[in-house]
Structures are given as C-alpha cells and as structure tokens.
Amino acid sequence: MRIVRDIAIILVLVLAQAFLFNELFFLRFLNPYLYVYVVFSILIRYPRAWQLIMAFAIGGSLDLLEGSAGLHAGATLFIAFIQPIVKGFWSVGQEDPDEEPSLKNMSLDRRLGFLFTAFFLHHFVLFSLEQFGFENFVDLLKQTFFSSLFSFTFVVLYQLWNARR
Amino acid sequence: MRYFLLLLQQSRILILFLALEGLAIYWIASVQSYPRSKFSAQTTEINGRVSQWQSELKAYVNLKVENQQLAEENLRMRQQLNSSLMVQYYGADTINDSVLNQRYTYLSAEIVRSSHLKRANFIIIDKGSRSGVKRDMGVMGPNGVVGVVAGVSANFSRVIPIINSSLTISGALKNEGYFGPVKWPGRDYQHSQLNDIPRYSDVKEGDTVLTDGRSQYFPAGIVIGTVEDKQLQADQNFYELGLNLSTDFASLRQVYVIKDFFGAELDSLQNESLP
C-alpha cells in the first residue's frame, strides 16, 4: 500500500514541477527544483538499485514533459548515487548508524546541512549539463548557489511545517 | 574469473549508475549542439501537445502586448506598400521588371512553449511537417530574427533561438556591410554578441545589425539588433560588438517560419564535391 502512496506522491510532484514550479521565476533566473526532495524522503527507503532506476525515471519523465532532453535524468541520477556519501559526511560522529536511513533520524541542523549540500550538488550538475561544459564558471557557480538557496528555502519551510505537526 | 564475477557483483551499483548516466549524457549530447542535434519526432510531439493547453491560457493574459506588436508590424508593412511610395518618373528610361521570382514565403506559427531564462533555450511552435516545415528553416518574429528549426514532428517543430549558444548566425552592419558571426554569450536574453568586425570600421553605438545574405537560414535584411558597445578582441584586430537584441523573447508569441524556394538548389551547390 505504501508503494502506491509513494508513486502517487512522486507523480504529483513531477507534474507540479513541470507545470507550476518551472513557470515560477524569481529575479528572472531562479527556478526552484523541488522534485529532487523525493530522492531524500521517499526513494531512500528502497534498495540502492531501485533508487537509481527510479531517480532516472523521475528525471527522465520531467525531461519529456519539459523538453529538456536528459538534463534532469542525469542530475537526479547523480544525486541519488552520491547521497549516501553526502549523508555520511554530515553524520560523522553520530551514534546510531544502524537505524533506518531516513531524514527523521538526523538532527535538524545536520538535516538542513545535508539538504543544502545535496541541492547544491544537484543544481550544479544540472546547470553544467545544461550548458554542456564549464565556460563562465563564476556565473555557473553563482547561479547554482542562488538557485539551490531558493529551492532550499522551500524545503526548510516544509520541514518547519512538518516539525510543528 | 570468480574474482571478476565477485568484483562485478560488488560494484553493480556503480556499473548501473555509470550505464544510466551515460544514457542521460548521450541523450543530452544528441540534442545540445545544434548542427549535429537530432530530435526525435515523438518527443517534440509530446512536448508540443502538453504545452499547447498551457499556452492557450497564457495567450489571453498577453493579448494586449501581442496586439501592440502586430500593430507596429502593420505600420512597418504599410510604409512599404506601393500606395505609400511615390513613383518618380522622369521619362528618360524604361524599367522592365517582369523577371522577379518569388524566393521566400512565410508561414505564421504560434509559440506553444519557450524558455528564455535558461542557458539552453528552446521554443516549440504549433506548425510541423504537415504544414511543410522542415529542419534548418529560419524563424523570425514581428521584431526580427528568432532562430532556426532544429526538429520537426507532424504538428509541432522545435526551434533553437538565437539566445542559445549552440546556434551561430551571420550578421552584418547595416551601414557598412562588414559581417561576422552572431553568437549568444549566455548571460541574458536581451543581449548578444557580434564578433570579427574589422578594427578600421567606423561602427558606432546604435548602429543596426541585420541578417546577411550569406546566412543559409535567413533572407538578407532582417533586423537582429542594435550595437550597444564595442570592444577590441584579444587579437587586437577585430571588434567584439555587444548587441541589444530586437526580439523580446519574454513576450514573443507569434512567429513566421521562412521557406526558401531556392534553398535546395543552394544546398546542392554548396555540397558539391570537388572533382
């Protein structure tokens, strides 16, 4: 039953991303990519191989809807692959490594640090794939930083709202 | 062999990751660089259909700007009509101009999806191979050059605008005729760059840059933009001109696809192999 619910949430988020968030531009170049959040919240409960395949499928379906040809598939797959490493980096010294690997088990500051790093990496891969190279590197970093900050703000709001419930 | 299998078993996640990432990069690379890019007709068709209802909604919101643009274009057209020209006949010579041949025709199309704030911008229009659109046809808007058709499905086409750095077109200064490549540096959608203008040219701010007859996509004389600033290139012999693009990609809705009746003939001449 849980898997049906997960798929429904993923579908809704992908559609919302394609038709709502992609139309939302702040300061003319900031675009929140919130669908990435499912990689950390939902996909993380599934086996590794499925995580990668699902991440590719989510990114790919967004690419089909948006006409961006592989950009989101590549970036989402990358973040799904790299996230245990990022998570390990943020939970150095934590006592219980055997717990279910979910965001709930991280303290709030670590969770936020992890989310920002992950969003930054995802956006960086996304934008460098988009321009297919690293020319204008400073511009690229600037855009990545502000965009991930923007996406991150939304996620923090969601986390706070969730914490109050 | 056993160790090899063990190794495969242990690194299967890495292999899966590399395979899928390779697939994604192949997908991107097949689209990203214009002259080599290939778009599958199915993807274009899906993008087009999905975008159509979205854009119908937006069309209502933008009607005012749209009407303004059309009115301005009408004005320019009216100025070129025979009725607004005066024939000055001095009785000294005869002009026989029955040899004019139609070279270009235009097909009007509507934009169903576009991006102008990204680094790899694209436009999808609502005319496709059923309306006779083919790859590599030029596309212009009411205010000037828009881009080039890069992929076609039955009902939609995908256009690479001049605000995508994989497209380079040829531009010429209206006053002096010097020409060079116009290539988008990738910062914002209102500005572009014209390179390789000789240092001894007398180019000034505000000069108009037009398309050049040398470009295989556009007829000569369509506005690209105006010169905004000039700067010597690294080689010190040529200017690099900043352009203010005349097409506002943020409000563009109506475009014209340019069909060239002599395109095939020109192509065959260009592709002729040397003996």
Side-chain angles (χ1 to χ4, degrees), chain B residues 66-76:
Chain B
E66 189 76 1
N67 280 340
Q68 181 73 24
Q69 278 183 352
L70 286 180
E72 279 168 16
E73 192 179 18
N74 272 344
L75 191 73
R76 275 201 303 276

Side-chain angles (χ1 to χ4, degrees), chain B residues 100-112:
Chain B
L100 288 178
N101 254 334
Q102 178 109 35
R103 176 164 176 195
Y104 297 104
T105 57
Y106 299 85
L107 171 75
S108 100
E110 210 154 287
I111 293 182
V112 292

